[in-house]
Amino acid sequence: MLVLAGTPIGDVEDAPPRLAAELAGADVVAAEDTRRLRRLGQALGVRPTGRVVSYFEGNEAARTPELVAALADGARVLLVTDAGMPSVSDPGYRLVAAAVEQGIRVTAVPGPSAVLTALALSGLPVDRFCFEGFLPRKPGERRVRLAEAARERRTQVYFESPRRLDASLAAMAEAFGAERRAAVCRELTKTYEEVRRGTLAELAAWAAEGVRGEITVVVAGAGEDPEKGAVDAAELVRRVRVREEAGERRKEAIAAVAAAAGVPKRVVFDAVVAAKHGGGGAAG
């Protein structure tokens, strides 16, 4: 049997009670970092009796067949990562897929999750959400990914390095709209836990001063309006028209409406153009 075990994302007291028993009873413990596993075992007052092997991004492909062979021979293999649930932006998916293909039972010891903890603390809609993992490091690839996510209506959850947080938040503000609501969750469950809420523009300015710790970013879905919910194209056009009638230039009106609705300027521009060519003349 393959057992995926959640580990604390900060406070060691959050470890699920079954984790100690699994560490003590597994035939093989595959750990993302064997040194961190040793420290976790000491904190829990347990020492693995089975064989301990490393299982991380660098050796995941090579070690998976070895672990599958052990499973096929009847071993109980426990997989743990540095924090949270295996497979969620951590090693594990490849091993799970290989075990399932061989008809080997896979189970889990549920535990802490940075994704769900940040989502719950964000103050943003939680009824529908998606997890986007880490954004690409290269600016061009990051822009492409964010452009694809710009119209996503579900709340989005990202992991990010503190060194790249300011650049990523600035890129989100450009792609999603400066006024899109978001929350940066830092050092969850640890001593210096912090949840910073605001617009993407505000959070980007804050992050520019430097941020430390483990980071999870939660971003509101496209078209979220605190009072009216999703903003459709006709409503965007109407808002532009109101601003134009008040004397605002179209370019500035489109930018302001996009920022307020939390959508890219291109979305508003396309809606205005479509309304004009559709003969409605709503903003023409």
Side-chain angles (χ1 to χ4, degrees), residues 92-144:
Y93 167 75
R94 184 177 277 110
L95 179 57
V96 171
V100 169
E101 185 177 349
Q102 295 297 318
I104 295 167
R105 184 182 172 192
V106 181
T107 189
V109 177
S113 167
V115 175
L116 295 181
T117 303
L119 182 69
L121 294 177
S122 70
L124 298 172
V126 298
D127 53 334
R128 299 177 67 233
F129 71 93
C130 57
F131 175 58
E132 294 291 333
F134 285 92
L135 286 170
R137 296 184 180 186
K138 296 182 178 179
E141 296 176 0
R142 184 169 56 213
R143 282 194 297 270
V144 171

Side-chain angles (χ1 to χ4, degrees), residues 185-195 212-214:
C185 304
R186 187 180 71 85
E187 294 289 88
L188 289 171
T189 78
K190 299 179 183 178
T191 302
Y192 297 103
E193 175 182 282
E194 178 182 19
V195 179
R212 295 181 178 181
E214 299 288 333

Side-chain angles (χ1 to χ4, degrees), residues 19 32 46 50 73 75 91 100 130 142 162 183 186 191 231 251 284:
L19 178 57
E32 185 176 9
V46 62
D73 287 340
V100 169
C130 57
R142 184 169 56 213
R186 187 180 71 85
T191 302
V231 181
K251 182 178 180 180

Side-chain angles (χ1 to χ4, degrees), residues 192-218:
Y192 297 103
E193 175 182 282
E194 178 182 19
V195 179
R196 177 79 58 153
R197 305 175 183 88
T199 66
L200 285 171
E202 291 169 343
L203 293 172
W206 163 75
E209 300 176 2
V211 179
R212 295 181 178 181
E214 299 288 333
I215 303 293
T216 304
V217 180
V218 187

